[in-house]
Each structure stands twice: as structure tokens, then as C-alpha cells.
Amino acid sequence: MVGVTATAVLTSCEQEFYQDEQYRKEIYIVSGEDNIFQREFAFGGEEIGYLSVYASGTTPIEKEVMVELERNETVLSDYNQKRYGDNYKNYVLELPDTHYKVDDWSINLYPNANSSYSLFPIKVNIDGLEPEDNYFLPLRIASVSDYMISSARRNVLMQILMKNDYATTKEKSYYTMNGTRLRVAKDTWEPLDKKNNAPDYKPINATKLVAPVTEYGIRILTGSTLTSDRKELRKQGIVVTVHPEEMIDVPVIGSNGLPTGEYIQCQKVTLDKWYNVNSGITVLNIEDTPSYYNPEKKEFTLNYRYNYNSNDWYEMKEVMSPVAVSYTHLTLPTNSR
């Protein structure tokens, strides 16, 4: 009887230990490796992004908890030092305070049988940010009105990723390109390269890396040009801008290479230099052969002329189709109390 009683007492104490200790409530911010949480934002003004603040444990919290968050640049400097050491050129940047706004730095967690989380809203505006820079917003839980703060998940680095309908910085965005290049005379635009008295179009095929830079714009380089040098990107970069409200009729070409008499409506596209810098590229649209975007195929057809770093002008035609990229991302709850 004594043995049975002792066993029952130990079992009861063990159950209480697991309930009260192993599953104790800790308040934390949801994040991934290195406490990073990635969030894509679209261009075109403020957009709200959410962090999830949770209370751990197998049972709901018993009382309302106020959680206070704060900006903490130490989180970011520690990350840079740990990951990059003295390689300062690779350091990630803190999101400038002109590009985000927090209306209320505190949120509440509520006793609820179905959930123990709340969403912390942050207004972010990515307009004007550069796609080559990695921007992070470093935050931490400053205080809680009850329970404990998780030491492992107290901090978060919210990584700001940029996207539009044509490209993203979450993954590198590639397009396959088939096109032609023709050297032409300035002003008259007569072909300078000829073969048998006909324009000698040089075929170009490439996989192009593009980047989102505005709500309806992507940055490209001419033809098969490749560079990651920031100075060269500013000199050679071209912004391809889609105008969704301006439609143009594009003739349908049959299998015999001749117009069928039918037309499809596509969205007008214009091209311009990305940066206005000395010795930079000059880009001209071809008015009688406009560029366009086919939203059904997600395909760009670009017709333009350019001059860069020489006296030569080139006339380009490029047809760009996106390369499918698959990736996983962290899914957040979409509502809270």
C-alpha cells in the first residue's frame, strides 16, 4: 500500500512538473534561422506587414498579456558581425526610418482556447529602395506584462523583400530572351550592318536577370550583358515600365510568318535609363514599333535603340519570357483577435 501510494504521489508530481515547467508560457516572435523573418512588399505606397507574437505551451494563456516591442539596432550589428566579420561590403542595411511606421508598439495576447497569438502590424514603403541592397528591420520584445520572454526568440530581423507582378528579390528573377541586334546610323536609323544589301540582324539568346524597381517597372541590361558591379548597373541599367491602362493592338502572326489579320490587345511598354549618370546609357523608344507586354503569356516584347560608351547606336528587339522559380516561404496566420 505504501509503495502504491508513493507511486501515485510521484506520478501526480510528474504530471504537475510537465504541465507547469516543461510547457511553461514564454512570449516570443515567430522567425526562422538566425531569427530572420522574410516579408515581401509591393511597390506603390505603404503596405502593412505583420509579425506574429506567440505564447508557447500546450494550453492557452489564462490572462491577457500586453507585449511591448521596440527597435533595437544591436540585433542587426550582432548579426552582421557574426555572419560577415570584417567583410563590411556585404553587411546588410537597416531599413531607414523614412520607409516604415509603427502606430502602436504594444499588442495584447488574449485568453483563447483556439489561439495564443496576435499580429503586430508594421507599415512599410519600399518605393525608392534599391534591389541590390538587403534591408532589415531589427526588433525585439522590450517587456511583457505577464509570463516570461523567450531568450531564444526575443529578437527578430524582419527582412524587407521587394516585388511587383514581374519580378521579386526573394529569389533571383530570370527571363529567357530571344532577340536581334542591328547597328544603325544615328538620326536616320538606317542599318550600317548589311548582308546582300539587307539589314544584317545579329541573333542574341540569353537568360536575363531582372530586378523589380517600381510598381510596374523592372531593370534590365541590354542583350546578353551581365554585371553585378553597382557602378555599371547604374550606368547600363534600363527600366522597362508597363502601362496597364494603355493597350495596343498587336497583329497575330501565323505559322507561315505572315499576319493573319487578327489582333490581340497587349499593354504598352516604355524604356528609359535607370540612373541619369555621366557616361551612362542612352535609350530611345521606337515610336512606330512600340514595345508591349502580354499579360496572358507574361511575355515582354521590347523594341528600342541604345548607345553606350561609343559612337555606335544599336537597334534591339528582345522577346522575354519568365523562367519559373519555385520557393517556399513562412506562412503566417491571417487574423487574430
Side-chain angles (χ1 to χ4, degrees):
M1 289 295 294
V2 172
V4 171
T5 302
T7 300
V9 170
L10 287 173
T11 301
S12 175
C13 290
E14 184 178 8
Q15 290 174 345
E16 290 181 10
F17 169 80
Y18 280 114
Q19 289 176 353
D20 298 337
E21 299 296 331
Q22 183 166 326
Y23 301 117
R24 67 189 178 199
K25 301 293 183 293
E26 289 190 344
I27 312 301
Y28 68 98
I29 305 173
V30 174
S31 61
E33 186 177 355
D34 291 327
N35 288 0
I36 293 174
F37 174 74
Q38 294 183 327
R39 174 67 162 82
E40 282 184 298
F41 291 90
F43 293 89
E46 281 187 353
E47 183 180 356
I48 299 179
Y50 294 93
L51 292 174
S52 266
V53 179
Y54 264 81
S56 65
T58 58
T59 58
I61 55 177
E62 295 85 15
K63 59 190 77 174
E64 184 175 324
V65 183
M66 186 179 76
V67 183
E68 188 86 17
L69 278 76
E70 65 181 1
R71 169 186 163 274
N72 190 337
E73 66 273 12
T74 302
V75 179
L76 188 61
S77 59
D78 289 347
Y79 171 80
N80 275 326
Q81 186 61 43
K82 175 185 174 182
R83 188 171 182 86
Y84 300 110
D86 295 333
N87 191 9
Y88 301 114
K89 69 177 183 179
N90 288 331
Y91 273 30
V92 301
L93 305 178
E94 182 175 356
L95 181 68
D97 56 12
T98 53
H99 285 269
Y100 74 92
K101 181 181 178 182
V102 176
D103 292 329
D104 188 349
W105 286 94
S106 64
I107 59 171
N108 291 333
L109 301 177
Y110 299 95
N112 190 315
N114 298 318
S115 65
S116 295
Y117 73 87
S118 282
L119 299 181
F120 181 75
I122 304 170
K123 297 176 182 177
V124 174
N125 187 339
I126 63 170
D127 292 348
L129 298 181
E130 299 213 3
E132 274 65 52
D133 288 327
N134 287 315
Y135 298 95
F136 286 76
L137 180 57
L139 301 171
R140 73 194 290 264
I141 296 176
S143 64
V144 295
S145 63
D146 213 317
Y147 303 110
M148 300 176 60
I149 301 174
S150 169
S151 58
R153 296 293 181 184
R154 179 175 194 165
N155 304 320
V156 68
L157 289 169
M158 186 176 184
Q159 185 176 6
I160 309 302
L161 302 170
M162 294 169 260
K163 68 174 181 177
N164 58 23
D165 288 341
Y166 323 104
T168 177
T169 61
K170 187 177 182 68
E171 295 285 336
K172 290 183 176 181
S173 297
Y174 290 100
Y175 280 69
T176 57
M177 185 274 288
N178 296 300
T180 59
R181 186 177 78 169
L182 178 68
R183 192 164 62 98
V184 295
K186 183 181 179 181
D187 297 330
T188 66
W189 311 124
E190 292 295 320
L192 294 177
D193 293 331
K194 293 184 178 182
K195 189 174 183 180
N196 298 325
N197 291 322
D200 186 16
Y201 294 96
K202 305 296 184 184
I204 303 175
N205 300 287
T207 300
K208 295 172 75 84
L209 177 63
V210 308
V213 290
T214 65
E215 184 176 5
Y216 298 109
I218 57 174
R219 189 197 61 212
I220 68 168
L221 298 172
T222 59
S224 57
T225 303
L226 287 172
T227 184
S228 58
D229 182 86
R230 293 188 178 221
K231 288 184 179 179
E232 286 303 313
L233 284 170
R234 292 192 174 193
K235 285 184 175 182
Q236 300 186 54
I238 297 173
V239 176
V240 177
T241 302
V242 179
H243 302 271
E245 303 304 320
E246 296 186 50
M247 309 300 291
I248 61 175
D249 291 327
V250 177
V252 177
I253 305 300
S255 57
N256 59 0
L258 300 175
T260 63
E262 297 179 337
Y263 293 84
I264 58 172
Q265 282 203 321
C266 292
Q267 298 168 349
K268 183 179 178 179
V269 167
T270 56
L271 296 89
D272 199 357
K273 66 180 80 175
W274 183 37
Y275 264 85
N276 189 14
V277 295
N278 291 332
S279 303
I281 195 168
T282 301
V283 182
L284 298 176
N285 296 282
I286 303 176
E287 296 302 327
D288 57 351
T289 313
S291 302
Y292 55 89
Y293 176 71
N294 185 327
E296 187 174 333
K297 292 184 176 181
K298 300 186 183 298
E299 181 180 88
F300 288 89
T301 299
L302 307 179
N303 298 288
Y304 63 99
R305 300 184 181 108
Y306 80 93
N307 168 270
Y308 175 66
N309 209 22
S310 74
N311 292 323
D312 291 329
W313 279 85
Y314 294 95
E315 188 168 296
M316 303 291 297
K317 178 171 184 176
E318 302 183 21
V319 179
M320 295 170 35
S321 301
V323 176
V325 177
S326 62
Y327 50 86
T328 58
H329 57 88
L330 186 61
T331 301
L332 278 180
T334 56
N335 52 46
S336 66
R337 175 164 178 162

